[in-house]
Amino acid sequence: GGSARFMFMFSLRDLREELDRRMNNVNDTDWRFFAQSAVASGTPTAVNTLMQQFSGRCSPVSKYVLFHAYDKCRGELVKSVRAVALSTGNPTLRGWAFELEQIDLIRTCMDSKDVKYVTNGHGWSFRPVSEMEFDENNFTSFNIGSCTVIWCLKWNQGCFDVAFLMGGTLITVQFTVSQKHTLKPNYIRKLWEALDKNVTVREVVHVGVRENDWEDLNIILSAVGVGRQVGEEAAVFDILVRRSPMLEGTSATEEACNFNDPNTITTLEPVKM
């Protein structure tokens, strides 16, 4: 929750319940304060306790609160978080802003007639026509289309921020502003196992999307992680690992799922799962 007092007062489960209680106390009108970089005097207490201040500019107190606020404010919050990140230079806020912008682009593509496709300009273009929610173990609903976006409900989901199912290809995506990203296959395996109950996944691709200098992104395989192949046991599947520039919206392209561009291929061999 971004609060040292909360850290010592509550267990993780109790903290989530407390934050949820406070967010439920924010009415529809007061959610607008989250899309502003300054909290005016007289702001409701529920808003004040869910905001933090950086050099005189305000933003949601944690990523957990940020994405709850995004569901209420959408585009205006995206602009506000980016403005605070630029003015303060805070690396955490930069990461939040970039991830939020990319998530917002995907949602806009689903809702807008102007943005027909999202592309990385290196062989991957898509337009989600259906969506599902994944809670780390199971899906809250199951709705498969030609391109399905899979939203992660777990607030601190590891390894990837969002996933896509395009035909028989599962694509997990991590948005980052850092130069290094750690690949933790156990998280991908949980998603694969949940999908495998209903559909056949023929290929798994993990894509690290970096805001700037994406060719320099260093994707490192985690030294530990439940789910990877052990010993001589046959691997269930391979994970192809790719780098990517930031995603952009376009009105003129077609769907493509080609990850063979040599500029995007990392030095990692396919990871055995």
Side-chain angles (χ1 to χ4, degrees):
S3 168
R5 178 169 56 87
F6 282 3
M7 180 174 68
F8 290 109
M9 285 178 60
F10 300 110
S11 66
L12 183 58
R13 184 184 67 181
D14 292 339
L15 175 58
R16 290 186 62 178
E17 292 178 354
E18 177 65 16
L19 289 174
D20 288 343
R21 183 186 69 79
R22 290 171 186 255
M23 285 187 285
N24 288 335
N25 287 336
V26 180
N27 61 43
D28 291 340
T29 301
D30 290 335
W31 278 110
R32 73 186 189 278
F33 290 111
F34 287 86
Q36 300 172 3
S37 57
V39 178
S41 60
T43 304
T45 301
V47 175
N48 275 323
T49 57
L50 298 173
M51 298 286 280
Q52 62 184 331
Q53 191 173 77
F54 292 95
S55 302
R57 307 293 292 272
C58 294
S59 72
V61 73
S62 68
K63 189 175 177 180
Y64 182 69
V65 175
L66 173 73
F67 276 90
H68 274 73
Y70 170 72
D71 287 337
K72 302 289 184 179
C73 307
R74 291 295 175 93
E76 290 305 312
L77 178 64
V78 177
K79 295 176 184 177
S80 174
V81 174
R82 172 57 72 180
V84 178
L86 288 173
S87 66
T88 62
N90 184 285
T92 297
L93 290 179
R94 280 185 55 222
W96 291 1
F98 179 55
E99 180 182 345
L100 201 59
E101 287 167 347
Q102 296 284 273
I103 294 294
D104 187 61
L105 172 63
I106 296 166
R107 288 195 178 277
T108 299
C109 182
M110 297 188 71
D111 301 335
S112 170
K113 295 181 179 180
D114 297 325
V115 180
K116 294 183 178 179
Y117 291 91
V118 175
T119 180
N120 73 344
H122 287 267
W124 182 32
S125 301
F126 61 91
R127 178 178 178 83
V129 297
S130 59
E131 57 185 336
M132 304 190 301
E133 294 180 333
F134 180 63
D135 67 1
E136 189 187 25
N137 295 302
N138 299 291
F139 294 99
T140 58
S141 62
F142 210 83
N143 180 26
I144 296 292
S146 58
C147 177
T148 302
V149 58
I150 301 172
W151 303 113
C152 302
L153 295 182
K154 190 170 186 288
W155 66 273
N156 60 344
Q157 169 68 47
C159 188
F160 61 93
D161 298 312
V162 67
F164 301 88
L165 187 64
M166 298 179 65
T169 301
L170 172 62
I171 306 161
T172 56
V173 182
Q174 173 74 39
F175 301 113
T176 184
V177 298
S178 302
Q179 186 176 3
K180 294 181 180 180
H181 161 54
T182 302
L183 172 60
K184 299 178 180 178
N186 49 310
Y187 290 101
I188 298 176
R189 180 155 188 159
K190 287 182 179 181
L191 176 58
W192 178 87
E193 289 175 340
L195 284 169
D196 190 54
K197 298 173 184 177
N198 298 278
V199 298
T200 299
V201 176
R202 295 187 296 272
E203 183 179 41
V204 180
V205 184
H206 180 72
V207 183
V209 178
R210 192 182 184 202
E211 183 178 25
N212 298 308
D213 302 321
W214 64 274
E215 300 97 330
D216 298 329
L217 177 61
N218 185 15
I219 300 178
I220 303 169
L221 181 62
S222 174
V224 296
V226 177
R228 289 214 301 277
Q229 178 192 12
V230 178
E232 299 300 320
E233 179 185 355
V236 178
F237 59 84
D238 290 345
I239 301 175
L240 303 179
V241 185
R242 300 292 184 262
R243 293 180 292 249
S244 172
M246 71 170 66
L247 305 179
E248 297 181 347
T250 178
S251 60
T253 190
E254 59 184 19
E255 197 161 270
C257 193
N258 175 13
F259 291 97
N260 295 321
D261 186 328
N263 293 316
T264 70
I265 296 174
T266 70
T267 56
L268 280 180
E269 294 294 324
V271 178
K272 301 293 183 180
M273 287 290 293

